[in-house]
Amino acid sequence: MKIKFIAGVVPSIAMVLGTLISFSSQASNELTIDGYVTNQTCSATVNGKEGNVVVNLDSVEADKLKEAGSTAGRKLFDIGVKGCIPSSSPQVFRIKLEPYNITGPTKINEVGDENGVEYRELIGNRGDAKNVQLQMVAFPGKDEQIVAYPNLINNGTYLLVKKGETSARQKLGVEYISHEGNAGPGSVVGLVQYAVQYY
């Protein structure tokens, strides 16, 4: 039986350009704040569009998410910038990803807690399908990295605008995952806020 899953990653946009704040304690009761102001004018995009965007996943059969930790239905998309001021050197942007609803945990490798297992939380489902979450990956394929989960300082990925260019895109993927197994039919909706920071 074919089961229709309606899935979306609906980000709200936040462009942060050149905001670097650090705190250091060099003497008693002294606070140093460092910052940077830039004339960069980039706009953040998802699949080339600005603002809130929906990434629609294809329907998958619940049987593909029967086993605990199983994944299915990966869809590729990109987050990028456009309208940047050309620079005489490459420009690095950081893509920050923060889910609104968190579920889990699920095991990712054999290091971490007292039992030697590290766990990762997932993008929670706001739809009505049972035992289904979402996860996002950067660099889909051989060197892929799981992104868009909390409690990680470097959550997200990077974007490089080459010398003299005004735009760039970073490929990501999103897919269904069931850390419990035995997924049930219904809708799957995940929301992730993204921010693109210029350094």
Side-chain angles (χ1 to χ4, degrees), residues 45-182:
T45 63
V46 174
N47 289 338
K49 299 177 182 177
E50 296 180 46
N52 294 340
V53 180
V54 177
V55 176
N56 292 308
L57 295 182
D58 295 331
S59 301
V60 299
E61 296 176 7
D63 282 350
K64 292 185 177 179
L65 298 167
K66 185 176 181 179
E67 301 300 322
S70 56
T71 62
R74 179 175 293 187
K75 175 66 71 75
L76 300 182
F77 68 101
D78 61 66
I79 294 180
V81 290
K82 67 179 182 180
C84 302
I85 296 172
S87 174
S88 59
S89 60
Q91 301 175 80
V92 178
F93 292 80
R94 175 138 184 85
I95 299 171
K96 295 284 288 181
L97 302 161
E98 192 69 38
Y100 281 93
N101 185 29
I102 302 301
T103 59
T106 187
K107 183 171 78 170
I108 55 175
N109 58 44
E110 298 300 323
V111 297
D113 69 10
E114 65 277 359
N115 297 318
V117 179
E118 183 178 356
Y119 291 91
R120 170 176 41 81
E121 294 171 311
L122 302 167
I123 302 168
N125 178 22
R126 292 188 167 203
D128 56 15
K130 302 300 182 190
N131 299 335
V132 181
Q133 298 83 29
L134 295 165
Q135 72 176 7
M136 291 176 63
V137 298
F139 313 107
K142 181 181 172 185
D143 298 319
E144 67 185 38
Q145 303 166 7
I146 305 298
V147 294
Y149 56 98
N151 304 323
L152 181 67
I153 294 172
N154 293 321
N155 188 17
T157 187
Y158 290 93
L159 177 67
L160 177 67
V161 178
K162 295 179 181 178
K163 173 183 174 181
E165 296 191 1
T166 61
S167 64
R169 294 182 178 188
Q170 173 64 59
K171 190 68 69 179
L172 292 99
V174 60
E175 62 193 357
Y176 305 104
I177 182 170
S178 177
H179 79 81
E180 306 97 331
N182 296 314

